[in-house]
Amino acid sequence: MKIPPFHLAIPVSDLHKARKFYRDILGCGEGRSSDHWVDFNFFGHQLVIHYKPPSETEKAHTNPVDGKNVPVPHFGVVLEWDVFQEFSKLLKSRDIDFVIEPYIRFEGEVGEQATMFFKDPSGNALEFKAFKDPDQLFAS
């Protein structure tokens, strides 16, 4: 089954810093843009950053998961296991300040997964994860 790409638009308080982060740090290809927004190829999906004044951003919120404070809201992509490992090494080499360092959840159990959280320069939280067995993405 081919999964259709999603479209997600997020606010950023500094278009230049966010553009550099998504393009140069995460390696997302840049598409169309204007003075107030930029399209990116976010792992095959369409991510659009839109300028929003810093005074209009909301206070961050978290929920406890595995004894860690998971930022809400957050977004990201489920990667292949090996791709996740290489991507997390790349992010570490680029001095990403992780909210939650890469780690393994449910190790040896159904739904075993690698996950990590970090924020973009505007405070938008991202989670990248990978499942040891991709068929267990929705396992309970």
Side-chain angles (χ1 to χ4, degrees):
M1 176 175 102
K2 182 171 167 54
I3 298 175
F6 67 76
H7 165 84
L8 177 65
I10 61 170
V12 297
S13 57
D14 185 318
L15 200 62
H16 174 73
K17 284 182 183 175
R19 177 182 242 156
K20 186 174 171 117
F21 176 82
Y22 286 97
R23 183 188 62 214
D24 300 342
I25 301 297
L26 298 189
C28 298
E30 190 174 321
R32 294 176 297 272
S33 66
S34 80
D35 293 340
H36 300 291
W37 57 268
V38 182
D39 282 345
F40 288 99
N41 177 345
F42 186 75
F43 300 84
H45 303 282
Q46 185 186 42
L47 174 67
V48 186
I49 59 172
H50 286 270
Y51 173 74
K52 184 175 183 179
S55 61
E56 295 181 24
T57 60
E58 296 180 29
K59 185 179 176 226
H61 178 76
T62 63
N63 280 334
V65 176
D66 293 344
K68 297 169 176 49
N69 291 320
V70 171
V72 177
H74 63 264
F75 70 96
V77 175
V78 177
L79 302 171
E80 293 178 9
W81 192 263
D82 294 338
V83 173
F84 176 93
Q85 303 306 325
E86 289 302 313
F87 189 53
S88 66
K89 287 178 191 173
L90 176 70
L91 294 177
K92 287 178 182 180
S93 76
R94 293 182 175 169
D95 296 323
I96 286 294
D97 184 19
F98 291 96
V99 173
I100 298 175
E101 293 272 342
Y103 79 105
I104 306 298
R105 296 184 70 207
F106 312 119
E107 193 164 4
E109 300 175 27
V110 172
E112 181 175 347
Q113 59 191 268
T115 186
M116 62 181 154
F117 287 84
F118 53 91
K119 293 184 178 181
D120 74 8
S122 296
N124 294 299
L126 292 91
E127 177 186 19
F128 284 84
K129 59 171 50 180
F131 284 80
K132 193 76 165 192
D133 178 353
D135 291 334
Q136 295 180 353
L137 179 66
F138 299 107
S140 55

